[in-house]
Amino acid sequence: MTGDKVCSALILAAQDPGPGLAQAMEDLAASVREEVKMRQGIESDRQKVRTTVRTLTVITLGIVALGFTVPQVTGVYTTLMGQLVLALLAAGFVATLVWVRSYATRGRTARVLVPDPRSPVKTREQPDVQADSLGAW
C-alpha cells in the first residue's frame, strides 16, 4: 500500500514535472511514520489478546486434564445429558476462541495502483491508463 502511494506520487511528478515532489515525498514519509507507529500500537494490543487467549486455553486444557484424573468431578458428564452439556460447553469455548481470533488478526487493505486478488475489497477493472501515458514518452 505504501509502495503504491510512492509510485503514484512519482507517476504524477513524471506526468506533470514541477516543484512540490520533494514536499510531497516528505509529507508521505511523515504519513508513513505515523501509520507505522499506529500499526505497532495496534499489533501490541493484538499480541496482548493472543497471549491472554493462549494462557486461558492452557489453563482450560489443564483443568480438563485434571478432570480426567478426578472421577468425582467428571462423573456428571457420564450421562447423556452430561455429554450434551459438555458438547455445548466445548462448542461455546471453540466459538469464543474463533471470535477472539477475529479481533487478533488483521484484515487486508485494497491496493491503489493494481488490483490484488487476495484483497477482500473488490474493485472495478479499469483500463491501464498509466501504461498508455508512460508509453508515450
Side-chain angles (χ1 to χ4, degrees):
M1 186 76 175
T2 303
D4 289 345
K5 291 177 186 177
V6 171
C7 286
S8 51
L10 292 174
I11 288 170
L12 288 174
Q15 290 175 351
D16 185 21
L21 177 61
Q23 184 61 42
M25 296 305 274
E26 287 176 11
D27 293 343
L28 185 59
S31 171
V32 168
R33 271 194 298 276
E34 286 299 314
E35 183 179 346
V36 167
K37 184 178 175 182
M38 287 188 300
R39 286 181 187 238
Q40 285 176 340
I42 291 169
E43 193 59 34
S44 172
D45 291 341
R46 287 181 177 154
Q47 188 60 39
K48 290 175 189 174
V49 171
R50 289 183 199 116
T51 303
T52 302
V53 169
R54 281 187 198 115
T55 303
L56 289 175
T57 303
V58 167
I59 290 171
T60 302
L61 292 176
I63 290 173
V64 168
L66 183 65
F68 284 123
T69 62
V70 182
Q72 295 86 2
V73 175
T74 58
V76 177
Y77 299 111
T78 58
T79 65
L80 178 62
M81 183 58 108
Q83 289 292 305
L84 291 175
V85 169
L86 184 62
L88 182 69
L89 290 174
F93 182 72
V94 170
T96 303
L97 287 178
V98 169
W99 178 55
V100 170
R101 183 173 187 248
S102 70
Y103 284 115
T105 57
R106 180 177 51 145
R108 296 189 185 268
T109 57
R111 297 284 307 266
V112 176
L113 293 180
V114 294
D116 187 0
R118 299 173 299 165
S119 176
V121 179
K122 301 301 177 201
T123 58
R124 295 182 293 130
E125 289 296 323
Q126 296 178 352
D128 196 7
V129 176
Q130 284 106 1
D132 293 341
S133 64
L134 290 177
W137 279 13

